[in-house]
Amino acid sequence: MNDANSLWGSRFESGPADSLAALSRSVQFDWRLARYDIAGTRAHIKALTSAGYLTSAEHEKLDRSLLELLSRVENGSFTAKLQDEDVHSALERGLIEIAGPELGGKVRAGRSRNDQIATLIRTYLLDEAGRLHVEVIDLIEVLVSRAEEHLGVAMPGRTHFQHAQPVLLSHHLLAHAWPLVRDLERLRDWRVRAMFSPYGAGALAGNTLGLDPSLVAAELGLSAPTQNSIDATSSRDVVAEFAFIATLVSINLSRFAEEIIIWASREFDYIKLSDSYSTGSSIMPQKKNPDIAELARGKAGRAIGNLTGLLATLKGLPLAYNRDLQEDKEPVFDLVDQLHLVLPAFTGMVATMQFNRNRLELLAPEGFSLATDVAEWLVKKKVPFREAHEITGKLVAYCEQHTLDLHEVPDNEMASISPHLTPDVRDVLTVGGSIKARQGAGGTALPRVLEQIQALRKIAPKKTA
């Protein structure tokens, strides 16, 4: 690292061992930050000029050189070399090639790689948060559209994965939209904390050159400089928080994926997946596999691993900067990459899957799912709920013993179970009646579902053809 483009090594008598150089190198993964590094440098040279360390002519030449370097990076004519330690050293080499060593050599004054990388990872993640926001909105929009398509369709609602109460399919689909809405809210809240710029913190103690960190922050579109230079260079809670939110998005996808996998099985037969969003088997010609859902479920485990690994790296670090912090980038890079892969495919799968309405409605009353309606009907007849629960339990036991559904029990047998079970109890022994009765806030009744759709449409407007 005593090469001409090294950012350190002047006090060393010999270069590093090959094994150290290989271990130390990060350019193979941090190169994706190149355009953010150049943007930071353009802001930094403005601060150097404002403080009197560059003339206007020097600033103009350096800025032109940086724009030329950005162009070369984007068209691939300038890339990192094997001897480049990281994105910073590679780009300084490129700048010096264009602007010359004397002028290019002035740029590093007043900053450290420590405050540089702490800023770059923020600006990168802010951009990626914007992309993820759009992709999550797309999925929410599809969920709302599918809910609108199937208004009034009943299905089994489950707790403990057992039949519990009938619900509307639309209500169930929207139950997967709201966690994603909260993920968007988390991203929005995270942005407030991510908008502070560590530039100007230097290695850990700030700089003595009188550079204006507010100028740099404004140039980068950030709200303000960080409040403490040590904290600025050593903290990665902003990265960990982003990783948590990204992981939670992945987990929310995985929960829905689990249901889709089950729903697509022959035993359930709730849905049929589109051929365009399914795969086959290399040996079994009949197979149609829900691979998108399975991969979404699998990548959630990978996301958890990335988050856990990052937190474990951070947990024991003393102030200020430590080289361990190099390990903050690959976990979030992978989280971002995997979500950008999964979200469009998952959205397409949900948009194109077909629901088996007849099957869903046939199974909606199964498993004595209307029993709670009986108990609540008794409560409306002034029967204490404790007694109503016991009466309904006996009714269910009678049905199990005689292989009957609730509505099939003769009037005289109902009366023998309890005199409170009069014939008009049959008014609540329908799926439609059960769903319609759930009028409380957030309930499965159609008016409440329509309210949800209206609220979600403000977040994810209907796409026009």
Side-chain angles (χ1 to χ4, degrees):
M1 309 241 165
N2 54 0
D3 292 337
N5 66 309
S6 173
L7 302 188
W8 59 273
S10 56
R11 58 91 66 214
F12 289 81
E13 294 183 1
S14 63
D18 289 345
S19 57
L20 170 59
L23 176 62
S24 184
R25 188 173 295 114
S26 63
V27 73
Q28 69 273 18
F29 58 81
D30 65 20
W31 183 247
R32 72 171 68 195
L33 299 176
R35 69 184 182 93
Y36 298 95
D37 189 289
I38 292 171
T41 300
R42 292 185 69 201
H44 179 64
I45 63 172
K46 277 199 171 184
L48 286 172
T49 303
S50 178
Y53 296 102
L54 293 173
T55 66
S56 295
E58 288 175 325
H59 173 265
E60 185 178 343
K61 182 177 180 180
L62 276 172
D63 199 52
R64 285 199 312 269
S65 299
L66 286 165
L67 289 173
E68 172 61 25
L69 179 58
L70 177 61
S71 176
R72 294 182 187 182
V73 168
E74 290 179 340
N75 66 30
S77 60
F78 180 83
T79 58
K81 292 183 177 180
L82 185 63
Q83 65 266 31
D84 291 321
E85 183 180 15
D86 53 29
V87 63
H88 317 295
S89 57
L91 291 175
E92 182 168 301
R93 170 175 60 82
L95 179 60
I96 288 172
E97 288 176 5
I98 298 170
E102 182 175 350
L103 185 55
K106 293 185 176 184
V107 170
R108 208 191 313 161
R111 74 177 183 184
S112 162
R113 287 186 296 181
N114 296 359
D115 60 350
Q116 269 187 277
I117 194 59
T119 307
L120 304 190
I121 194 64
R122 289 170 182 248
T123 52
Y124 165 81
L125 290 178
L126 283 164
D127 275 2
E128 293 300 336
R131 290 179 62 198
L132 288 175
H133 184 278
V134 171
E135 291 169 350
V136 171
I137 285 284
D138 286 344
L139 177 54
I140 294 171
E141 195 282 326
V142 164
L143 285 166
V144 177
S145 292
R146 301 315 307 269
E148 287 176 324
E149 291 172 28
H150 297 89
L151 290 173
V153 176
M155 69 175 292
R158 296 172 183 271
T159 64
H160 307 275
F161 207 62
Q162 306 297 309
H163 283 243
Q165 294 175 332
V167 297
L168 290 179
L169 171 59
S170 299
H171 191 55
H172 190 106
L173 291 173
L174 297 178
H176 285 294
W178 289 111
L180 297 172
V181 170
R182 293 192 292 274
D183 290 336
L184 295 180
E185 292 170 349
R186 291 182 184 98
L187 278 176
R188 181 194 64 203
D189 294 342
W190 168 85
R191 291 183 73 89
V192 174
R193 289 178 286 281
M195 287 288 286
F196 287 86
S197 170
Y199 244 105
L204 81 159
N207 71 79
T208 64
L209 300 183
L211 305 183
D212 183 1
S214 296
L215 186 157
V216 175
E219 286 294 316
L220 293 175
L222 301 175
S223 58
T226 47
Q227 298 91 336
N228 183 291
S229 61
I230 298 176
D231 175 59
T233 59
S234 61
S235 296
R236 290 298 186 272
D237 53 315
V238 71
V239 181
E241 186 179 359
F242 178 91
F244 167 73
I245 297 168
T247 300
L248 202 52
V249 172
S250 190
I251 288 171
N252 287 330
L253 294 181
S254 182
R255 294 189 70 187
F256 193 14
E258 173 74 5
E259 290 187 338
I260 289 170
I261 292 163
I262 293 166
W263 290 356
S265 68
R266 188 167 185 83
E267 289 76 11
F268 271 71
D269 194 26
Y270 284 8
I271 60 171
K272 180 179 179 182
L273 296 176
S274 167
D275 288 354
S276 298
Y277 291 92
S278 306
T279 65
S281 166
S282 60
I283 190 172
M284 294 173 285
Q286 83 282 8
K287 290 300 292 299
K288 186 174 182 180
N289 298 325
D291 278 20
I292 290 173
E294 291 175 350
L295 286 167
R297 187 176 60 181
K299 287 182 183 296
R302 178 170 173 171
I304 293 168
N306 281 323
L307 173 62
T308 305
L310 174 59
L311 294 175
T313 296
L314 299 177
K315 74 172 183 64
L317 295 185
L319 298 175
Y321 182 84
N322 295 273
R323 192 61 181 274
D324 312 50
L325 292 176
Q326 179 172 299
E327 297 300 311
D328 71 331
K329 286 173 282 299
E330 286 183 284
V332 287
F333 290 169
D334 188 59
L335 279 165
V336 163
D337 291 346
Q338 299 312 311
L339 278 177
H340 287 326
L341 279 174
V342 169
L343 277 164
F346 199 96
T347 300
M349 174 185 63
V350 175
T352 56
M353 64 188 185
Q354 299 175 5
F355 291 91
N356 187 343
R357 175 173 183 159
N358 291 336
R359 176 73 172 166
L360 290 166
E361 295 197 322
L362 175 69
L363 295 176
E366 293 291 316
F368 308 110
S369 65
L370 300 174
T372 305
D373 294 271
V374 174
E376 291 179 347
W377 177 85
L378 288 167
V379 169
K380 292 173 184 176
K381 299 296 182 180
K382 309 304 181 183
V383 178
F385 184 76
R386 183 181 181 88
E387 184 181 350
H389 190 287
E390 184 176 349
I391 292 168
T392 307
K394 290 179 179 178
L395 176 61
V396 170
Y398 178 91
C399 289
E400 287 182 326
Q401 291 166 10
H402 296 85
T403 319
L404 297 172
D405 287 329
L406 293 172
H407 69 279
E408 294 175 330
V409 180
D411 290 347
N412 62 319
E413 293 297 338
M414 282 203 183
S416 70
I417 292 170
S418 170
H420 294 297
L421 291 175
T422 57
D424 53 347
V425 72
R426 299 187 188 282
D427 293 341
V428 301
L429 292 179
T430 66
V431 169
S434 174
I435 289 174
K436 186 178 181 179
R438 308 290 167 183
Q439 295 282 346
T444 194
L446 184 58
R448 303 291 82 79
V449 171
L450 292 172
E451 287 172 356
Q452 292 182 65
I453 290 174
Q454 185 179 18
L456 288 165
R457 280 296 182 211
K458 296 177 182 178
I459 300 166
K462 189 175 183 65
K463 288 189 175 181
T464 56

